[in-house]
Amino acid sequence: MINAIYILNASTLQEQDLDRIVHTVKTIFRVPVFVKQVGLDFGSAFDGSRGQWNSTVLLSQIITNSVGDDEKLVAIVDVDLFIPVLTFVFGEAQFKGTAAIVSTHRLANQFYGLEEDKQQLLQRLEKEIVHELGHTFGLYHCRQFECVMRSSTYVGEIDLKQVFPCQDCQRLLLKNFS
Amino acid sequence: MNSNYSILIVDDEAIVRDSLSKWFREDGFVIGVADNSATALRQLQAHRWDVILLDIKMPGMDGIELQQRIIELDPNVTIIFITAHATIESAVQALKRGAFDYVTKPVDPDHLSHLIQNALKQRKLTGENIKLKESITEFFKADDIVGESPQMKKVYELIQTVASTETTVMVRGESGTGKELIARAIHSNSQRKFFPIVTVNCGALPEGILESELFGHERGAFTGAQYRRKGKLELADGGTLFLDEVGNITMKTQMDLLRVLETKQFTRVGGNDIIRVDFRVICATNKDLEKAVADGTFREDLYYRLNVFSITVPPLRERKSDIPLIANYFVKKYSQTMGKQINCISPEAMDVLVRHDWPGNVRELVNAIERAMVIGTSPALKPQDLPFQLLNLDKKKKPSSGSLAAVEKEHIELILEQNGWNISRSAEILGIDRVTLYNKIEKYGLQKPS
Ligand SMILES: [Zn+2]
Ligand SMILES: [Zn+2]
């Protein structure tokens, strides 16, 4: 039984930027949601040859913030994340585990040479947070094109999906809960 | 999603095996790993694998040699090589010997996921389990289309008729009638339902931006374009392209669009590569396109290409019997998402809703309900929870009798309702003192609803 979800903010976003995300996460997973400011040791995760940060290393740091197995943690960072075999990842989660991490780096329009749009950035972040948390609750990628659990490997695909899981995924979520 | 498919990852580096198996496990694949050729061969004898990801450089027997042995064991398996830059030449060798493709480390996740999907698509087409395509027998409406009026039943019929075809559809109707929902219903009832429906709002974007939005751009196409960007046409590949407010695009973009619709290929802004796409087009407009064609502001050839099958969504005022259904549907929906204990609409409030003419159509109605759900406190929505202008306009339209007293009574009742029978506030708005208000309440026999 999960009793709380902690959003660990290690990014430059302000706490009030996350209000809507907190509300959404609470609505979807039906548990209390708290925001905590945290610091991470980015230096140990930095890979100089790639100029990026190893998300698995950061993920293992995040887990040390956990106090019990009745909670889930999702961290927000600004740095560009990778896992060794891929050029980048938007985020990473422990499948059926405790912790997840999401980066804002490639969710921002500026990264693609477009004008900054904070609202759009927050909408994308909201979906990625729900998506990675979904993995920690044991949800797989989904084929429904609007489902938040659809796999997105390109930022435009994030914009296409909704913030909510489809009915099938919601059912699975309920099952995994009890 | 992919639980019927299995992938074997053969790589001597633990970190590659781990990160790839984690990546594919989230897709629901059955995953196996092997850190050398001998283990890989044992895995091959023990199970049937759909795809094998094979590292070219391994100590002992290398990937190319292993490929030969694998093909002897299972000639149908799909092999994808993983290489470092230095060994691209041997990857080309491998392709000649029948490998499906190769990727270089680190691989772009977008590329990898398409590669795997293509490999599986090919297996599906050529493999032993060619099943009859799942036929779509059950028609399902997009969730938020509500209505049982004869006009809407006709619309559902048209959706059902056209959905399973590849025909271009034009959805017409006033703004706020829910044309995008109709497009989504057509998409979800088509063979393309497992691919995206991509909306382009043609009215909202200036010409240069619309162009880049549709076609994408290459790195360096213009100042600030540091990264390649896929356009909506590319994102819609396999699925449906929904062109909203198609009547608003400029002549230049009309021409570009016509060319894409005719050839199903295009180049990104600032690029030379020809990109082939496969999508179905649905468009929507609230404009008189026939007039625009006559005026010369809309190309006739594009008009005929888009207007193959047309569906007209009736305005809400022409299907008033649907208002209670729609209103109740959204009360339920919002009570769930907002977690509020409001589950119905009082008869008085419903009366206001049904009498209103809804120039903004369903969208206006949905907004009114959403607002009412936010401010409402009792289990049934009341007239005072509804937007102010709705009450005023409708009250104005229907004075119950000509006498001044009757109008005064109605007006006092309205103000009281809007202010939740707060006497001080109502008196202030009416410009009378509280005692006078009490006297009038008694005089007209007004009663606070329980
Ligand atoms: Zn995922
Ligand atoms: Zn789903």
Side-chain angles (χ1 to χ4, degrees):
Chain A
M1 189 63 207
I2 296 305
N3 291 319
I5 292 175
Y6 286 92
I7 296 177
L8 308 177
N9 186 18
S11 75
T12 50
L13 289 169
Q14 301 295 305
E15 192 160 337
Q16 65 264 27
D17 292 332
L18 305 176
D19 283 351
R20 207 188 62 175
I21 296 180
V22 169
H23 179 78
T24 305
V25 171
K26 208 187 306 176
T27 312
I28 293 174
F29 297 100
R30 293 166 195 248
V31 289
V33 177
F34 306 98
V35 177
K36 238 164 69 177
Q37 291 294 129
V38 295
L40 294 172
D41 174 18
F42 287 106
S44 66
F46 186 67
D47 182 323
S49 64
R50 299 183 55 148
Q52 290 175 302
W53 285 259
N54 187 318
S55 81
T56 316
V57 173
L58 290 173
L59 204 53
S60 57
Q61 285 182 31
I62 293 159
I63 299 163
T64 61
N65 276 281
S66 162
V67 291
D69 53 7
D70 59 346
E71 59 185 38
K72 304 274 187 200
L73 311 170
V74 56
I76 305 170
V77 297
D78 289 331
V79 298
D80 196 14
L81 299 175
F82 76 95
I83 60 175
V85 76
L86 297 178
T87 51
F88 75 92
V89 287
F90 290 125
E92 189 184 346
Q94 291 182 297
F95 193 77
K96 287 189 184 169
T98 303
I101 183 169
V102 175
S103 159
T104 60
H105 192 80
R106 288 175 193 252
L107 302 181
N109 269 353
Q110 304 92 288
F111 185 83
Y112 304 93
L114 301 170
E115 216 172 289
E116 179 175 358
D117 183 338
K118 193 164 179 189
Q119 280 319 307
Q120 189 167 38
L121 167 73
L122 290 173
Q123 275 170 20
R124 290 169 179 165
L125 180 64
E126 185 179 30
K127 292 174 192 175
E128 284 311 283
I129 285 178
V130 173
H131 179 101
E132 296 303 343
L133 279 171
H135 284 318
T136 67
F137 282 99
L139 294 185
Y140 292 103
H141 285 155
C142 175
R143 287 185 66 183
Q144 294 294 332
F145 64 92
E146 284 184 318
C147 178
V148 72
M149 291 313 294
R150 188 183 176 92
S151 157
S152 335
T153 44
Y154 180 73
V155 71
E157 290 166 348
I158 300 177
D159 295 337
L160 291 178
K161 57 188 187 184
Q162 311 248 321
V163 71
F164 286 95
C166 72
Q167 285 187 345
D168 291 343
C169 288
Q170 269 180 37
R171 225 170 283 143
L172 199 62
L173 193 60
L174 261 164
K175 215 179 81 190
N176 292 354
F177 244 113
S178 48
Chain B
M1 145 190 196
N2 293 306
S3 51
N4 299 324
Y5 290 106
S6 52
I7 301 180
L8 178 64
I9 300 161
V10 187
D11 200 309
D12 59 320
E13 276 182 274
I15 199 141
V16 173
R17 290 195 307 272
D18 289 350
S19 52
L20 279 178
S21 28
K22 184 163 183 299
W23 169 261
F24 286 121
R25 195 160 283 140
E26 288 177 358
D27 280 328
F29 291 108
V30 173
I31 304 295
V33 291
D35 60 356
N36 60 53
S37 295
T39 320
L41 288 170
R42 264 202 305 278
Q43 288 268 36
L44 266 152
Q45 277 154 343
H47 299 280
R48 196 191 64 87
W49 300 95
D50 290 296
V51 177
I52 301 183
L53 286 170
L54 201 49
D55 185 12
I56 283 201
K57 263 201 165 153
M58 280 185 298
M61 191 194 298
D62 75 0
I64 299 285
E65 224 182 309
L66 181 58
Q67 181 186 16
Q68 289 303 109
R69 302 283 299 273
I70 292 172
I71 291 171
E72 283 163 25
L73 279 169
D74 180 357
N76 291 320
V77 71
T78 303
I79 297 174
I80 296 173
F81 275 101
I82 314 171
T83 83
H85 280 286
T87 52
I88 282 182
E89 265 178 34
S90 37
V92 173
Q93 279 278 313
L95 287 185
K96 285 187 185 151
R97 293 184 199 188
F100 181 75
D101 211 335
Y102 70 90
V103 294
T104 48
K105 287 183 271 191
V107 50
D108 179 57
D110 196 38
H111 178 64
L112 184 60
S113 101
H114 281 106
L115 189 60
I116 296 291
Q117 287 311 320
N118 286 340
L120 295 179
K121 219 187 273 175
Q122 207 203 34
R123 279 186 79 73
K124 230 187 257 171
L125 291 176
T126 56
E128 62 280 3
N129 48 0
I130 298 176
K131 282 182 227 148
L132 281 173
K133 267 198 176 165
E134 189 190 335
S135 62
I136 300 163
T137 46
E138 196 188 340
F139 168 70
F140 87 98
K141 280 185 327 194
D143 266 0
D144 289 347
I145 304 181
V146 186
E148 295 298 329
S149 59
Q151 294 96 316
M152 284 311 282
K153 284 195 171 140
K154 176 80 190 153
V155 169
Y156 303 150
E157 246 168 58
L158 293 172
I159 293 174
Q160 214 169 346
T161 308
V162 79
S164 59
T165 71
E166 287 285 290
T167 308
T168 300
V169 183
M170 182 177 282
V171 187
R172 316 191 72 157
E174 292 177 10
S175 73
T177 46
K179 295 187 285 295
E180 178 161 4
L181 292 177
I182 304 294
R184 285 181 182 277
I186 295 170
H187 175 80
S188 341
N189 285 283
S190 75
Q191 310 272 8
R192 297 175 174 270
K193 66 180 169 185
F194 289 123
F195 291 87
I197 174 167
V198 176
T199 299
V200 182
N201 192 331
C202 306
L205 300 165
E207 179 169 310
I209 304 213
L210 179 61
E211 199 186 7
S212 157
E213 182 89 1
L214 280 172
F215 302 106
H217 61 69
E218 289 294 344
R219 186 184 175 134
F222 45 81
T223 331
Q226 271 179 292
Y227 291 87
R228 175 173 71 80
R229 180 168 187 255
K230 283 189 196 175
K232 295 268 171 105
L233 295 177
E234 236 171 303
L235 289 173
D237 192 24
T240 302
L241 181 71
F242 176 55
L243 300 168
D244 203 2
E245 297 187 50
V246 76
N248 292 358
I249 53 178
T250 62
M251 286 307 259
K252 158 89 171 62
T253 311
Q254 286 179 33
M255 204 169 71
D256 293 342
L257 192 60
L258 181 67
R259 199 173 306 134
V260 180
L261 299 186
E262 275 169 352
T263 61
K264 291 284 163 85
Q265 61 185 45
F266 64 94
T267 54
R268 297 192 192 104
V269 177
N272 297 313
D273 293 348
I274 289 175
I275 295 158
R276 287 185 180 75
V277 279
D278 161 43
F279 53 74
R280 177 201 202 158
V281 176
I282 301 176
C283 60
T285 185
N286 53 13
K287 287 212 164 146
D288 186 350
L289 278 191
E290 290 72 16
K291 184 171 175 295
V293 170
D295 292 347
T297 55
F298 201 87
R299 293 181 68 106
E300 192 172 11
D301 41 10
L302 181 59
Y303 170 79
Y304 282 113
R305 191 160 275 278
L306 294 176
N307 192 29
V308 183
F309 186 98
S310 116
I311 297 178
T312 303
V313 197
L316 191 53
R317 65 181 171 281
E318 284 176 17
R319 51 176 186 117
K320 289 210 156 183
S321 63
D322 284 336
I323 292 175
L325 289 175
I326 300 171
N328 281 319
Y329 172 86
F330 282 97
V331 166
K332 275 208 196 78
K333 182 172 169 165
Y334 287 128
S335 81
Q336 263 175 20
T337 55
M338 295 178 186
K340 280 195 106 163
Q341 301 298 317
I342 299 177
N343 46 39
C344 63
I345 300 172
S346 73
E348 298 78 27
M350 190 62 92
D351 189 49
V352 174
L353 294 178
V354 174
R355 277 192 287 114
H356 187 59
D357 263 348
W358 303 108
N361 290 298
V362 180
R363 188 187 300 142
E364 187 190 358
L365 172 57
V366 174
N367 288 345
I369 298 290
E370 186 180 12
R371 176 189 179 279
M373 292 294 290
V374 170
I375 59 173
T377 49
S378 54
L381 287 183
K382 298 197 168 137
Q384 65 261 29
D385 301 330
L386 295 170
F388 197 56
Q389 72 272 20
L390 225 71
L391 302 167
N392 273 350
L393 286 174
D394 291 316
K395 290 281 177 181
K396 243 182 248 162
K397 264 184 206 151
K398 190 195 140 236
S400 38
S401 80
S403 83
L404 199 55
V407 174
E408 184 180 65
K409 175 187 171 201
E410 222 164 71
H411 187 62
I412 291 173
E413 194 173 16
L414 170 70
I415 297 299
L416 284 167
E417 271 174 16
Q418 279 173 358
N419 293 286
W421 277 73
N422 180 320
I423 300 297
S424 306
R425 209 180 327 142
S426 301
E428 200 183 307
I429 290 168
L430 291 165
I432 52 180
D433 60 50
R434 292 168 61 228
V435 178
T436 314
L437 181 54
Y438 274 120
N439 286 337
K440 288 193 188 284
I441 288 171
E442 203 175 79
K443 174 177 161 196
Y444 294 126
L446 299 177
Q447 266 179 6
K448 187 175 175 176
S450 46

